[in-house]
Amino acid sequence: MLVGVLVEIKSLKEKIFTYNVPSKLIEKAKLGTRVIVPFGSRKLNGLIISYEKECEYVTKDIIEVLDDEPILTEELISLGKTMSEKYISSLMICYQSMLPSALKFNKKSLNIKYDKYVEKVFDLENPSVGEKNILNLFNDTDMVKLSLIKNKTILKRLIDKGVLKEVVKERYRLSSTYDKCDLKTLTPNQKKAYESIMNAKNIVTLLRGVTGSGKTEIYMHLIKNVINNGKTAIVLVPEISLTTQLIDRFKGVFQDNVAVLHSSLSDGERYDEWRKIKDKKVSLVIGTRSAIFAPLNNIGIIIIDEEHEDTYKQENNPRYRLIDIALERAKYNNAKIVLGSATPSLESYAKAKVGRYDLVELLERVNNKALPLVYIIDMKDEIKKGSPILSKKASDLILDRLNKKEQIMILINRRGYSNYIICNECGEVLKCPNCDISLTYHKTSGTLRCHYCGYATIKPNLCPKCSSKYLMLKGIGTEKIEEVLNEKFDARVVRMDRDSTSKKGAHEKIIRDFNDYKYDILLGTQMISKGLDFKNVTLVIVLNGDSSLNVPDYRSAERTFNLLTQVSGRAGRKEKEGIALIQTYNPNHYSIVFAKEHDYKSFYNKELKIRKQLNYPPFCNIVAIRIISTDYEIGNKEIQKIHKYLNTNLNSKYVVLGPSVSLKINNTYKFQLIIKYKEKELLYEVLKDIDKNIKNKNIKAEIDFSPVKL
Ligand code: ADP
Ligand code: ZN
Ligand code: ZN
């Protein structure tokens, strides 16, 4: 038997070779198993990815098969090939992105942990006292942990009689505790939405439901139905900070039938969860982006929650969009896809509008709770009044809520204490030595830190340039606000940002403690803006509502609208009415005004017009070509060469923009060209050519379809 083996070797572009499977390995050498093969005088790791009929050259024998069972299903093997083509990415990298790191090619396998149990086979008549003591342990269960049985002599006797039997079970590292709960009965509106999704005619249904409309409940009913029909389901969430509460809800309902996959798991936990899925012990997988590669069979539904989120795009190779992978898997499995969001991405809503997706809208909150009242505060006025950080209205409302024993969430998009330090005498701004970026002051640790490369240093007392002692802290971050709140109010404040959640489990703890009313105010970065559901929060304050507006990107208005809608949606989700307060310097910007009015459709219409005028997605597609180099000259020369090549080889249907160069980050420059296109045929040929022809070892090239950041 001949097979195609993908080998792990950096120096070659072509990496698939034909090998012979010797008869003693025929049983084990299946598609998707890892093998060791001879290659010249070396031995290489490889993966069987095809069966081959014949070969024009003499083939060598596979030396060893490493896996007892394939680690990739046939479906995933073929998906990898599609991805490699589509994203102009190496096949090996595509497969590696599907696997837990414990199964990566050159890693040593992690051990699987086992527990020993004893199982009761039949009831013993007239047991002795000692036997009875042991058998009593089996009164409400068929299985007991071996370590719980103390008298090993009698145990052995019972085993010899065949009454008890020793069994070994895999132990999963991730603890699975949950409070059991039942599915709620859907409200008539939810029920209608559920039915529409069930009867959708497209593969994809876009479920636009305002915040608190009960989308999660609908997901659970859909999944229940799928599982009852013997199929499996995947739920994708944008980031782990949003999953804590959601996972609790899913685990409560589906209990041990759930596996969880996300990046905060240890390698061991991740491997265990992956095996649960592979061994068909669970029917439901919840996780972040890469959970889409869960080795499930017979998928019935794929749910992508908060579908507009940027985290659904992978930022390193293979640079895939989740929806594209989900579509491949849905087609293979004949499954449905549900995209859920209160603020769908413009692209998705446009697809729904032209009928490529089914559109289901839930415009009321559960039990018709009103959406929060949103106030916009013009900070230009507040500065004149002398309250540059916290407006008068914000302070008043905070006091009011504290008195009523209701809780408050405050969002500020920047961590640290002050976001830059400037010398009042010479004007020097303290910058990172590796980046063209100013350093952020972190008061808690007394350090200056670069948020781009991780550089950290003790804060100096004197200006490094002119030795003046007048160093001014400018701009505000979470730590500063925490200080202000503590000075101004008698309140229990908890801060949630990347610094306060770096320890494993810190995140979950803050959320649970806040939910249990151990704090009055939750202060945080975007981390707190989405997905969280606290019953006692009646006030949400956004301190700098336009920070995302000032980013030069065609999606900045959309991001601002989404963020403001999501964060105000955290207020008043249960019985109590909620208020959201947005502090801004652009009170008349349409993304802020429409967010205040909860008017997605007007925002969509306005933004779509602008996109059309400027020719941006959804009216075209975008691919970015980047050259990354530590040497400015080398990078610049290379990108100019590519620019020229594009101009000669692409016709006038393609628009090439750039090149532009980024600020220096971590001592490297990023040069970028953007291509706007509608058809990709010619483009693919050209891009593949570029990819092939970059030979300079001192630079790195990236081809990025639908880039998240321009
Ligand atoms: P969304 O995901 O749309 O923001 P959720 O699914 O989180 O909304 O629902 C908002 C709140 O309403 C949650 O606390 C949830 O438990 C509750 N809820 C949702 N559906 C129902 C229902 N059918 N009956 C009772 N409570 C519900
Ligand atoms: Zn100075
Ligand atoms: Zn830096």
Side-chain angles (χ1 to χ4, degrees):
M1 182 172 70
L2 297 175
V3 289
V5 175
L6 174 66
V7 295
E8 166 115 84
I9 183 162
K10 284 235 163 66
S11 52
L12 291 175
K13 282 262 168 190
E14 181 56 58
K15 294 172 189 191
I16 303 168
F17 298 92
T18 304
Y19 282 91
N20 181 49
V21 180
S23 52
K24 64 173 197 270
L25 292 179
I26 279 197
E27 284 286 292
K28 278 183 83 184
K30 292 180 210 145
L31 222 51
T33 48
R34 288 174 297 176
V35 291
I36 291 179
V37 291
F39 193 84
S41 58
R42 288 187 285 169
K43 287 179 184 176
L44 292 180
N45 287 313
L47 177 75
I48 301 181
I49 60 165
S50 58
Y51 292 119
E52 300 294 329
K53 286 218 174 62
E54 52 198 57
C55 182
E56 68 267 31
Y57 52 86
V58 183
T59 55
K60 292 187 184 165
D61 279 3
I62 285 177
I63 300 170
E64 195 185 335
V65 180
L66 297 173
D67 301 300
D68 295 332
E69 285 286 321
I71 58 169
L72 288 167
T73 60
E74 252 172 74
E75 180 200 354
L76 292 175
I77 288 177
S78 115
L79 177 61
K81 292 173 189 166
T82 311
M83 285 170 70
S84 163
E85 273 289 307
K86 192 174 165 104
Y87 304 113
I88 313 184
S89 178
S90 97
L91 200 49
M92 187 62 95
I93 284 178
C94 292
Y95 290 133
Q96 302 231 350
S97 67
M98 299 177 175
L99 292 166
S101 60
L103 290 174
K104 298 220 160 129
F105 291 76
N106 41 18
K107 274 230 173 143
K108 227 181 96 211
S109 282
L110 274 172
N111 62 329
I112 300 173
K113 303 201 167 180
Y114 295 95
D115 281 328
K116 286 185 180 161
Y117 288 84
V118 179
E119 189 181 27
K120 190 166 88 176
V121 183
F122 60 85
D123 281 318
L124 181 67
E125 283 181 25
N126 304 322
S128 69
V129 179
E131 287 172 337
K132 206 164 169 199
N133 282 341
I134 291 179
L135 290 173
N136 278 343
L137 295 171
F138 292 83
N139 282 348
D140 327 302
T141 173
D142 290 332
M143 258 213 245
V144 170
K145 258 195 164 165
L146 180 73
S147 56
L148 293 178
I149 301 176
K150 296 285 174 278
N151 193 328
K152 298 287 189 255
T153 327
I154 300 184
L155 174 66
K156 183 167 181 304
R157 198 195 306 153
L158 284 168
I159 289 175
D160 289 344
K161 285 185 186 169
V163 176
L164 296 181
K165 179 172 92 183
E166 231 186 89
V167 265
V168 175
K169 274 180 42 167
E170 285 185 23
R171 188 199 327 153
Y172 301 116
R173 274 160 266 223
L174 190 66
S175 80
S176 71
T177 48
Y178 46 79
D179 296 325
K180 257 192 192 176
C181 61
D182 289 323
L183 276 178
K184 299 192 168 77
T185 313
L186 295 180
T187 63
N189 275 340
Q190 284 174 321
K191 181 103 186 133
K192 237 169 68 194
Y194 172 89
E195 297 293 341
S196 308
I197 295 170
M198 293 298 286
N199 298 322
K201 59 179 199 308
N202 292 294
I203 296 177
V204 182
T205 303
L206 175 61
L207 171 62
R208 181 169 87 86
V210 299
T211 55
S213 57
K215 293 184 288 295
T216 314
E217 213 58 45
I218 297 178
Y219 301 155
M220 293 201 279
H221 280 261
L222 289 164
I223 293 165
K224 181 93 184 170
N225 177 279
V226 159
I227 293 178
N228 285 348
N229 287 322
K231 297 190 174 191
T232 62
I234 307 180
V235 176
L236 295 140
V237 292
E239 50 197 299
I240 173 61
S241 61
L242 309 183
T243 46
T244 322
Q245 286 187 324
L246 196 92
I247 291 174
D248 286 353
R249 275 166 83 181
F250 276 94
K251 278 198 169 166
V253 170
F254 297 101
Q255 299 170 33
D256 285 333
N257 207 2
V258 186
V260 181
L261 290 174
H262 58 70
S263 54
S264 324
L265 301 182
S266 69
D267 283 355
E269 289 170 338
R270 207 177 161 78
Y271 180 41
D272 288 353
E273 295 300 296
W274 184 88
R275 274 195 345 275
K276 265 189 217 169
I277 304 165
K278 186 97 191 40
D279 298 342
K280 300 191 172 59
K281 300 237 165 79
V282 295
S283 319
L284 170 60
V285 175
I286 305 182
T288 45
R289 186 181 57 234
S290 65
I292 190 64
F293 299 114
L296 286 169
N297 287 315
N298 204 5
I299 300 171
I301 195 164
I302 299 170
I303 292 169
I304 305 180
D305 192 28
E306 310 290 355
E307 67 91 26
H308 60 276
E309 286 286 334
D310 289 342
T311 50
Y312 287 136
K313 171 73 195 304
Q314 167 129 322
E315 293 259 50
N316 42 34
N317 220 343
R319 298 185 168 75
Y320 63 87
R321 266 196 317 192
L322 175 67
I323 181 68
D324 298 334
I325 309 291
L327 269 168
E328 292 292 332
R329 295 209 74 180
K331 282 181 201 152
Y332 186 98
N333 288 279
N334 205 1
K336 273 182 189 306
I337 297 176
V338 176
L339 305 179
S341 174
T343 52
S345 70
L346 228 67
E347 278 102 321
S348 297
Y349 202 68
K351 283 200 177 116
K353 280 288 183 192
V354 298
R356 286 175 56 197
Y357 294 170
D358 279 61
L359 178 62
V360 176
E361 300 191 272
L362 261 182
L363 302 178
E364 269 137 36
R365 284 183 154 184
V366 176
N367 304 332
N368 294 325
K369 268 267 32 93
L371 284 165
L373 206 54
V374 180
Y375 293 99
I376 296 177
I377 307 290
D378 187 345
M379 289 309 281
K380 296 193 291 288
D381 297 341
E382 295 294 319
I383 287 202
K384 285 180 210 144
K385 287 189 224 153
S387 12
I389 297 179
L390 213 50
S391 59
K392 169 103 181 27
K393 180 136 187 135
S395 298
D396 291 349
L397 281 170
I398 291 174
L399 266 181
D400 174 72
R401 294 315 196 252
L402 291 174
N403 284 333
K404 288 184 186 151
K405 304 216 175 316
E406 292 171 359
Q407 285 169 290
I408 302 151
M409 288 168 73
I410 301 180
L411 177 98
I412 165 135
N413 248 342
R414 208 182 281 132
R415 66 201 168 92
Y417 188 82
S418 77
N419 66 316
Y420 64 103
I421 295 192
I422 185 166
C423 170
N424 234 3
E425 303 248 331
C426 76
E428 172 87 349
V429 171
L430 273 60
K431 279 193 181 166
C432 172
N434 310 320
C435 313
D436 282 335
I437 305 276
S438 58
L439 292 166
T440 304
Y441 176 45
H442 287 248
K443 196 172 182 180
T444 320
S445 54
T447 53
L448 296 180
R449 283 197 233 158
C450 173
H451 286 183
Y452 286 80
C453 73
Y455 171 85
T457 182
I458 302 290
K459 177 180 165 292
N461 294 321
L462 304 177
C463 169
K465 197 168 164 198
C466 74
S467 301
S468 154
K469 58 181 188 227
Y470 297 107
L471 289 176
M472 307 289 291
L473 302 174
K474 295 278 177 159
I476 48 171
T478 45
E479 285 187 0
K480 169 82 182 174
I481 300 296
E482 187 179 23
E483 194 176 279
V484 169
L485 292 170
N486 281 324
E487 274 166 14
K488 236 178 137 152
F489 305 99
D490 181 20
R492 299 164 299 166
V493 181
V494 63
R495 172 165 60 88
M496 184 153 112
D497 54 25
R498 220 178 329 143
D499 304 311
S500 72
T501 54
S502 54
K503 278 209 202 88
K504 200 173 151 84
H507 225 134
E508 288 85 343
K509 184 164 165 27
I510 295 177
I511 290 171
R512 291 194 179 122
D513 285 353
F514 187 65
N515 196 40
D516 295 342
Y517 195 39
K518 291 185 184 159
Y519 298 102
D520 302 295
I521 302 178
L522 171 62
L523 161 74
T525 53
Q526 294 98 307
M527 274 186 180
I528 66 165
S529 63
K530 306 150 257 191
L532 298 172
D533 186 18
F534 301 112
K535 55 185 182 301
N536 194 32
V537 169
T538 57
L539 173 63
V540 167
I541 301 174
V542 181
L543 289 181
N544 49 353
D546 23 35
S547 61
S548 52
L549 265 186
N550 302 328
V551 181
D553 189 304
Y554 74 94
R555 269 189 288 227
S556 63
E558 185 180 1
R559 293 208 174 100
T560 305
F561 178 83
N562 289 350
L563 177 72
L564 296 178
T565 306
Q566 295 290 343
V567 67
S568 19
R570 300 311 109 210
R573 290 168 70 85
K574 286 284 161 63
E575 292 76 32
K576 297 171 186 166
E577 299 275 309
I579 287 184
L581 207 71
I582 300 171
Q583 302 190 158
T584 170
Y585 292 95
N586 298 286
N588 300 318
H589 192 280
Y590 65 96
S591 62
I592 294 182
V593 174
F594 288 135
K596 168 188 156 66
E597 288 161 5
H598 307 288
D599 190 353
Y600 176 81
K601 279 189 187 155
S602 299
F603 173 79
Y604 168 82
N605 288 327
K606 166 114 191 166
E607 182 68 13
L608 201 70
K609 265 194 209 129
I610 295 174
R611 298 277 179 96
K612 182 153 194 186
Q613 273 165 10
L614 302 178
N615 187 30
Y616 271 111
F619 297 96
C620 68
N621 299 305
I622 290 184
V623 60
I625 304 174
R626 296 187 202 107
I627 292 296
I628 294 142
S629 167
T630 50
D631 184 314
Y632 187 95
E633 289 311 321
I634 294 177
N636 193 34
K637 215 164 124 195
E638 192 69 34
I639 201 84
Q640 299 295 351
K641 211 167 87 193
I642 295 174
H643 195 195
K644 213 159 136 199
Y645 182 83
L646 290 175
N647 282 339
T648 29
N649 288 282
L650 290 176
N651 57 37
S652 59
K653 283 191 200 155
Y654 299 87
V655 182
V656 181
L657 303 177
S660 62
V661 59
S662 70
L663 292 174
K664 182 178 76 172
I665 289 176
N666 221 350
N667 291 314
T668 49
Y669 298 91
K670 239 181 212 184
F671 298 84
Q672 178 169 274
L673 286 160
I674 298 284
I675 306 172
K676 293 180 174 176
Y677 67 98
K678 293 200 170 76
E679 294 155 27
K680 57 185 173 193
E681 275 62 34
L682 175 60
L683 180 70
Y684 260 76
E685 294 316 309
V686 170
L687 290 177
K688 275 189 201 161
D689 240 28
I690 291 176
D691 183 53
K692 239 188 267 155
N693 285 315
I694 291 179
K695 297 206 172 87
N696 191 332
K697 286 220 166 64
N698 298 314
I699 57 169
K700 240 180 73 194
E702 292 177 0
I703 294 174
D704 189 1
F705 290 93
S706 315
V708 164
K709 289 191 203 103
L710 284 192

